Structure formats: C-alpha cells, structure tokens
Amino acid sequence: MIAIGLTSLVGPKPLGYALKHIRLKSTWLNTRLAMVVAAEHLTGVLGHWVLNAEGLQQAPVDEQMLRLLLWHGAEEVEHREVADAMFRHLSNNLVLRTGAAVFTFPLFIVLAYIAVETLVAKDPQLPHRFRYKDYFRAARQDRVP
C-alpha cells in the first residue's frame, strides 16, 4: 500500500497527471532524482555509522549477520556517492536538492518507524512492542544510530 502511494506521488506521472511539456518532464525527473539523492544520503549516513560503530562490533550477534550488515553499510555509502555524482552531473541545483531533502527526510523517518514497528510486532521472541526507551538504551550502547 505504501509503495503504491509513493509511486503515484513521485512516479513518472505525479499524482496520476501525465506531464506533456518537455521542460516539465525534465524538471520532474530532476526533482525525483533529488529525492533519491536525499534518501541515498540518509542511507549512506546510516551505512557510515554501521561501518564505524564500535558498540555494534562488540554486540553479541551472529558473526555472519554482522558481516552482512557491514557489507550492506559499505554498499549504502557507495550508492550515496553514485547518486550524488549523477545529480551533480545532471542538475546540481542546490535549491532543488534542499527542497527534496526537506520533503524526503521526514518521510524517511516515518517509513523507518513503520518498518521497525512492523518487524517488532511480528517477532514472537519480543514480549512487547517497540518502545523509545529501548531505542535510547541501545543508542547509549552504540548499537543503533
């Protein structure tokens, strides 16, 4: 359901409206790219944290899962660089980039919260739902950003 909503909002036809003028199409494409760059920046920051978090390295977790997480963190850092280079080449409009970040960052936080809440609710080993105090405790231990 969220994917359908996002596609209709930021897909090639914004809110189902077909753009006819070539300049509008180009501007919309650059805007969508700026939103991707903002999202990739956030995931790149998270990837950088994963690669450098000492508390995460020392956590009692499965070694293969930790290696997979570290690999994924490195991939996110690389994706950020690729998206940024493409945006700089095609547009490099700082106003557009800032506006896309203002739109994308809160959306990213809301979607991340929904994802965590959904995963926690489906885990039969957890006795309760997601709680902020658990997050802040894990953050003090450097196990979450």
Side-chain angles (χ1 to χ4, degrees):
M1 185 165 116
I2 292 175
I4 294 170
L6 285 176
T7 300
S8 69
L9 183 63
V10 297
K13 294 180 180 179
L15 301 174
Y17 179 74
L19 301 174
K20 301 199 184 326
H21 195 274
I22 190 72
R23 189 157 188 160
L24 277 176
K25 287 181 182 181
S26 175
T27 300
W28 182 238
L29 183 63
N30 284 332
T31 302
R32 289 168 52 205
L33 178 59
M35 287 187 274
V36 168
V37 168
E40 289 293 345
H41 178 76
L42 280 172
T43 59
V45 167
L46 292 174
H48 183 268
W49 177 84
V50 164
L51 293 172
N52 296 295
E54 291 180 24
L56 186 61
Q57 306 288 335
Q58 298 164 357
V61 296
D62 181 74
E63 188 66 30
Q64 286 185 324
M65 290 302 290
L66 181 59
R67 276 193 240 134
L68 179 63
L69 183 62
L70 291 171
W71 172 83
H72 189 74
E75 284 289 308
E76 290 303 331
V77 171
E78 183 181 4
H79 292 166
R80 175 181 62 184
E81 297 302 323
V82 171
D84 183 64
M86 178 169 268
F87 182 79
R88 287 176 188 262
H89 176 73
L90 294 176
S91 174
N92 206 24
N93 182 331
L94 294 179
V95 173
L96 177 60
R97 185 180 191 134
T98 303
V102 167
F103 172 78
T104 305
F105 289 1
L107 179 64
F108 186 88
I109 291 168
V110 169
L111 292 176
Y113 176 80
I114 291 169
V116 168
E117 184 72 38
T118 302
L119 287 172
V120 168
K122 292 181 186 251
D123 190 338
Q125 295 179 347
L126 294 176
H128 50 75
R129 295 179 56 193
F130 170 77
R131 298 183 305 195
Y132 284 104
K133 72 178 192 174
D134 296 331
Y135 172 81
F136 290 121
R137 184 180 67 242
R140 281 191 302 275
Q141 296 170 350
D142 200 27
R143 293 185 180 176
V144 295

